[in-house]
Structure formats: C-alpha cells, structure tokens
Amino acid sequence: MSGRLPHLVCTAALAAGTVLVPLPAVAVPQPGERGVAELLTDLQDRYRKAEQATETYNGTAERLQRERAEVARLDGELARARLSLHDSRGAAGRLARQQYQGSSALSPYLRLLLARNPQQALAQRHVIGQVARERAETVGRLTGSERKAGDLARKARAALDTQLALAEKQQKDRDDVRRSLGEVESLLAGLTPRRLADLARFEQRNVDTAQRELVTSGALSSTERVPSGAGKRAVDFALRQLGKPYEWGAEGPAAYDCSGLTSQAWGHAGSVIPRTSEEQWAQLPHVPLSELRPGDLVVYFPEATHVALYLGEGRVVQAPRTGEKVKVTPLAAHPILGAVRPDSAEV
C-alpha cells in the first residue's frame, strides 16, 4: 500500500485546502444527518490518529535501521575477536608443547645453581624471566580474547533479538496506519459531494478564525526575524517540494509525510535532526512563538503528532495529510503545541 487514498479522499482534502475566499453559509443538515461540526471533528480525529500511527511507524522504522547497523557492527567486531581468539589459542598451544618438551630437563632454578659462570647465570635468569613473562602474557591474551568473544556473542544475540522484535513491531505499526487510513476512507466514502463541500468550507472558516485569534493575541512578534544560513537553506528546500504528494512514511524525493519533509529540509541544510515529530519536539531546543524565525519547526497537537516548517509572516510549509500535497498554510492550521529550533546556537 502506497499510503494514498482513493480519488474521493483526494478531492475532499484538496477542496479543503484550496478555499481562500469568503464562502457561503453551510447547508442545514437533512433529517438523520450529522451536523458539519460533528462530522469535521470526527474526520479530524481520524486524520490525527492516522498521523499518530504514521509517526509511531516512522519511529520504529528509524530504531530498526539503527539496530540493524548495530547488529552489523557487532558481527564485524565478533569476527575480529574470534580471529584474535584463534591466534591466542595457537600461541597457547605452542606454549604447552614447549613446556611438555622441556619437562624432563633440569628446572630453571637448578640450572642457575649449577652454572659455573655467574654472569652466564644472571643472563639465564634474565632470559628465563622474559620467557615467563611472555608465557603469562600469552595466557592473559587467551583469557582476555575468550572473555571478549563471549561478551560480544551475548551482545550480538541480544541485538539480533531486538532487531527481530522491532521488525515485528514495524509490521504492527504498518497495520495500525492502514487501519486508521481505512477509517478515514470509509467516513469520506459515505458523504455526498454537498457534504464534502460543507466540510471544506467549515474547516477553512475554523482555520481563518484560529489564525486571526493568533495574530491579534500578540503571541507572534510584529518584527520579522532573519533566518540563519541553515534555516534559509531548509526553507528553500521545503519550498522546492511544493505540490508533491503526502504519503505516510515517505522522506522524498517524490513524496513526504510531515516529519519526513522537515527532517529532510534540515538534512539538506546540513543539520541531522530526529526523524519523527515527537522526537523533534522532545530533543530540539524550544523557542517561544514570539521569537519564531524562518526555518524553525512548529509542532502541533498535545502528542506532538504533526510538524511544519515556519516561513515567516504567520505562514508555514507542510505536508498536511493523506490526499493533500506539500503546501503553504496559515500557522494556525492546527492546534499549536509549540516551536523548536534545530540550529539554536546559530544566529
């Protein structure tokens, strides 16, 4: 499944995103019909659940990628440790043969006592001491190699178990996304074109109202801030993606989901940031809305399940949801949780 819904969903979503002029009143629902406000709340809740499932899937996919890299690293290190262990065992074998072959000879102590030349005896003692140290080092290397190989083997098995568990979770997460998107599809499929148009108009009015309230509240600064160099590069990249479709789990270049767009924009700007909106909110420095500058990330909903890139002048660029395309929208297109700055140290 590509993550795209049928044409009906696309039509409804695009209608909601393209209404930019005053609109006629919403039609009165027929007997038995749910009101537009109730329908919109239901639809938005389903979209939100779908996006939350998408971000969970993205997080699992990223962890699985890291775990696969860790398994590969441990496998390589284990192979080297086993080779070292093989060499140490070979040296220990040679040591054992040497000890066995010299077992019938006089002990090193007796050879020292019976030596006629004291200088020779001292030299022999030095040699014997050196041999003893070398033998001790050989045994020590063998013991250390065995311990290291054993530790690495346990870590490799644990990492592989984690990888298998994450692969299983990824499959479950994928099923959750598909189920959530199926709920959206079912809801929209049961609506008439008139009801879809009513939803689009009602949603746009809500966005316009929220944007006016945000601007008049004074939460945004009246002075536009200049982006950092990296922030400008991130904005430029995001704007070049306008018109590309939303697709859950996508990171470009043909399609994006919300955090796929923001992470790729900052990646092209030279900063690696977390993949998901939840991690971007949790790990990046927070900034107040009054200090927003282009390139900052605006995070939405209490669970931080959606994210957009701030452009300035109260606008963001975002990959909104299934059926829509990357576009510029008002900052208050969704309930705002807060904002983060990927390059907080750069002015």
Side-chain angles (χ1 to χ4, degrees), residues 23 36 44 47 67 90-91 110 112 114 120 138 155 183-184 226 233 253 258 261 283 292:
L23 299 161
V36 174
Q44 288 178 335
Y47 271 127
E67 203 61 36
L110 286 177
L112 284 174
L114 297 176
Q120 183 182 3
T138 298
K155 289 179 181 178
E183 292 175 359
V184 174
V226 178
R233 290 193 294 274
C258 68
L261 177 64
Q283 298 181 29
L292 275 176

Side-chain angles (χ1 to χ4, degrees), residues 16-203:
T18 55
V19 179
L20 298 175
V21 296
L23 299 161
V26 174
V28 177
Q30 298 299 314
E33 286 185 334
R34 289 195 291 171
V36 174
E38 182 185 354
L39 269 176
L40 182 60
T41 299
D42 191 4
L43 178 61
Q44 288 178 335
D45 182 61
R46 293 174 192 269
Y47 271 127
R48 183 176 167 186
K49 287 179 180 177
E51 190 152 45
Q52 187 168 13
T54 297
E55 291 298 276
T56 300
Y57 169 85
N58 291 337
T60 301
E62 188 174 35
R63 288 172 56 202
L64 179 57
Q65 186 178 14
R66 289 197 300 264
E67 203 61 36
R68 283 173 175 159
E70 177 66 4
V71 168
R73 185 190 69 80
L74 287 172
D75 284 347
E77 196 170 341
L78 180 58
R80 291 189 293 273
R82 284 173 171 164
L83 181 60
S84 175
L85 178 59
H86 176 76
D87 293 341
S88 297
R89 282 174 174 164
R94 289 192 297 274
L95 175 60
R97 288 193 296 274
Q98 290 170 2
Q99 289 178 324
Y100 174 78
Q101 291 165 359
S103 62
S104 60
L106 294 174
S107 70
Y109 181 68
L110 286 177
R111 287 202 299 272
L112 284 174
L113 289 178
L114 297 176
R116 295 180 178 179
N117 187 334
Q119 189 64 36
Q120 183 182 3
L122 289 174
Q124 284 181 338
R125 187 176 68 176
H126 173 74
V127 172
I128 291 169
Q130 181 65 29
V131 171
R133 285 192 296 273
E134 290 176 356
R135 288 176 176 176
E137 289 173 1
T138 298
V139 174
R141 282 196 301 271
L142 175 59
T143 303
S145 296
E146 287 178 336
R147 186 182 298 112
K148 182 176 181 181
D151 289 344
L152 284 170
R154 285 189 291 273
K155 289 179 181 178
R157 284 194 297 270
L160 181 59
D161 289 344
T162 301
Q163 176 181 317
L164 293 174
L166 284 172
E168 184 177 348
K169 185 177 185 304
Q170 184 186 42
Q171 180 63 50
K172 178 185 177 300
D173 293 343
R174 182 185 293 113
D175 293 342
D176 289 344
V177 174
R178 290 171 175 170
R179 182 168 52 253
S180 297
L181 291 175
E183 292 175 359
V184 174
E185 178 181 357
S186 297
L187 176 60
L188 289 171
L191 300 177
T192 65
R194 178 184 65 83
R195 298 291 278 165
L196 290 172
D198 286 347
L199 279 173
R201 286 192 289 268
F202 194 77
E203 183 174 30

